[in-house]
Amino acid sequence: MSVQRHCSIYLAKNGKWYMELGDQEYDRQDDSTTYGPFASKERVYDELRFHANPGGSFQDDSGTREVPTVSPNGRPIQKPRG
């Protein structure tokens, strides 16, 4: 049986999209790695194809979040694969 991981997709103040994704099942936001920047929300979904079990996602297109400099889990921001 598999369960979702934390997945949040958001537009930051720089006009670029980012994704926070839990590294394992049951992970919460503070356990997640940030991926980006992406030019569009569609590119984020392209990246999700490379990750097992993302489940649903929270989306924020307000553009009010700060540009991330580090992932919530302390790891560096991961560049998109595509």
Side-chain angles (χ1 to χ4, degrees):
M1 181 172 138
S2 60
V3 253
Q4 299 184 51
R5 303 186 276 166
H6 166 77
C7 183
S8 179
I9 297 167
Y10 63 92
L11 180 64
K13 288 183 176 181
N14 65 353
K16 306 273 184 187
W17 289 86
Y18 295 85
M19 173 180 65
E20 292 173 351
L21 184 62
D23 292 335
Q24 299 178 31
E25 295 177 341
Y26 299 106
D27 276 353
R28 300 177 313 211
Q29 180 190 14
D30 56 346
D31 301 318
S32 62
T33 298
T34 303
Y35 296 81
F38 299 92
S40 68
K41 188 173 11 176
E42 291 75 23
R43 294 287 184 212
V44 178
Y45 287 113
D46 289 345
E47 176 73 22
L48 270 174
R49 293 181 302 149
F50 295 109
H51 302 275
N53 230 19
S57 64
F58 170 76
Q59 296 180 33
D60 177 5
D61 61 356
S62 67
T64 58
R65 287 185 63 172
E66 294 296 328
V67 176
T69 56
V70 68
S71 297
N73 61 15
R75 293 189 179 114
I77 306 295
Q78 299 296 302
K79 299 289 182 195
R81 296 180 193 201

